[in-house]
């Protein structure tokens, strides 16, 4: 690792963050759209959904946060793809900087941008009636799980951005990820689903992550879901990182 890796990454991250704050589309997609979905489910559909909880916002919020992250990482792929096609990567590589800092800048930008979106969504949730007895440690655990989930999906986004042939292709990979929370315990308990759908819902990563966050917010003991959630996140992170680095090295060699 280059001696200047951290400084180079900080400078390039600042550049990427300026692009985020100048993009109205990013703000709309990563914050306003999930909030609109939360309003729809709580005030239009919530009365017809039985979750066994007194406050549907409490049940719904973890899934909405995951949807926001899944939609937000699409912009990481698009920004990376745009940089590649504009020739800026070649300029960076001609400079005496750590080459890996180019990718890590996009990854850190994704963490910060999606973190801000999640904070906005949580604040709106409080306005809508979200309440929790979670203490500091529980909140830190939720933040850690969401950060790990974001990091894992971001490296998949990096892989998509490096491999895509068009902007639509770079962003399109995120659509299944956005849809995944709808076939999980994010909106309704899985025991209300038909057999095959329930089997899928209970054995995909979003359900274990949602269940863990719900338990942490409710100050209930977390069960094996937290280990399953961590295993999913770490597995996706490892696969995405290895494949993205391999593709990146092949392209710059």
């Amino acid at each position: 690792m280059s001696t200047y890796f951290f400084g180079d990454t900080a400078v390039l991250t600042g550049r990427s963050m300026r692009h985020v704050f100048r993009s109205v589309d990013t703000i709309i997609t990563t914050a306003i759209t999930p909030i609109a979905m939360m309003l729809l489910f709580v005030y239009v559909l919530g009365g017809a959904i039985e979750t066994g909880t007194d406050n549907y916002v409490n049940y719904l919020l973890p899934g909405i946060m995951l949807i926001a992250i899944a939609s937000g990482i699409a912009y990481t792929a698009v920004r990376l793809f745009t940089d590649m096609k504009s020739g800026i990567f070649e300029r960076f590589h001609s400079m005496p900087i750590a080459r890996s800092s180019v990718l890590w800048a996009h990854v850190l930008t994704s963490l910060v941008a999606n973190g801000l979106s999640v904070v906005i969504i949580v604040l709106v949730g409080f306005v809508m009636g979200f309440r929790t007895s979670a203490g500091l440690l529980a909140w830190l655990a939720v933040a850690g799980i969401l950060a790990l989930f974001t990091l894992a999906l971001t490296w998949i986004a990096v892989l998509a951005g490096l491999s895509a042939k068009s902007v639509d292709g770079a962003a399109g990979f995120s659509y299944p990820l956005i849809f995944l929370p709808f076939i999980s315990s994010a909106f309704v308990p899985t025991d209300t689903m038909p057999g095959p759908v329930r089997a899928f819902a209970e054995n995909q990563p979003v359900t274990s992550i949602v269940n863990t966050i719900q338990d942490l917010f409710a100050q209930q003991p977390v069960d094996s879901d937290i280990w399953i959630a961590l295993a999913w996140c770490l597995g996706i992170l490892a696969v995405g990182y290895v494949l993205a680095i391999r593709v990146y090295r092949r392209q710059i060699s």
Side-chain angles (χ1 to χ4, degrees):
M1 182 180 292
S2 170
T3 306
Y4 303 103
F5 169 78
F6 295 105
D8 296 340
T9 302
V11 171
L12 293 174
T13 301
R15 167 186 172 271
S16 295
M17 287 303 304
R18 285 192 292 274
H19 290 173
V20 170
F21 290 127
R22 291 170 183 169
S23 173
V24 177
D25 292 341
T26 302
I27 299 172
I28 292 174
T29 301
T30 59
I32 295 180
T33 301
I35 289 171
M37 292 177 58
M38 186 162 58
L39 291 169
L40 172 66
F41 272 92
V42 172
Y43 295 122
V44 178
L45 304 176
I49 299 176
E50 179 57 49
T51 61
T53 59
D54 295 331
N55 190 343
Y56 187 50
V57 181
N58 287 9
Y59 186 92
L60 180 74
L61 187 61
I64 293 295
M65 291 190 292
L66 297 190
I67 288 176
I69 292 170
S71 61
I73 54 134
Y75 279 90
T76 300
V78 171
R79 286 191 295 268
L80 187 57
F81 177 83
T82 302
D83 278 354
M84 288 184 59
K85 295 304 178 182
S86 68
I88 194 69
F89 266 33
E90 286 75 10
R91 284 170 147 186
F92 289 150
H93 294 157
S94 68
M95 299 176 184
I97 64 174
R99 291 190 173 186
S100 58
S101 64
V102 176
L103 294 186
W104 276 105
H106 285 282
V107 171
L108 293 179
T109 299
S110 175
L111 284 172
V112 174
N114 283 295
L116 292 174
S117 296
V118 167
V119 169
I120 293 171
I121 289 169
V122 171
L123 292 176
V124 174
F126 275 114
V127 174
M128 294 174 61
F130 169 71
R131 297 294 179 268
T132 175
S133 57
L136 177 60
L137 290 179
W139 275 103
L140 290 175
V142 170
I145 292 171
L146 292 176
L148 186 58
F149 180 73
T150 304
L151 190 61
L153 293 192
T154 296
W155 278 107
I156 300 297
V158 169
L159 177 61
L162 292 171
S163 306
K165 304 300 182 183
S166 66
V167 173
D168 291 337
F173 85 99
S174 67
Y175 298 151
L177 300 178
I178 296 171
F179 185 69
L180 207 55
F182 291 95
I183 314 176
S184 72
S185 61
F187 297 97
V188 296
T190 57
D191 56 15
T192 64
M193 301 175 183
V197 178
R198 177 180 179 180
F200 175 81
E202 291 180 346
N203 292 281
Q204 57 114 324
V206 170
T207 291
S208 57
I209 296 171
V210 165
N211 291 346
T212 299
I213 295 176
Q214 287 174 344
D215 288 341
L216 289 169
F217 278 153
Q219 283 291 73
Q220 296 178 355
V222 292
D223 53 20
S224 60
D225 277 326
I226 190 171
W227 304 113
I228 297 173
L230 292 175
W232 271 111
C233 289
L234 291 173
I236 295 170
L237 171 60
V239 172
Y241 176 80
V242 170
L243 293 178
I245 293 298
R246 186 171 299 175
V247 171
Y248 181 59
R249 286 175 176 171
R250 191 162 59 239
Q251 290 184 350
I252 66 176
S253 61

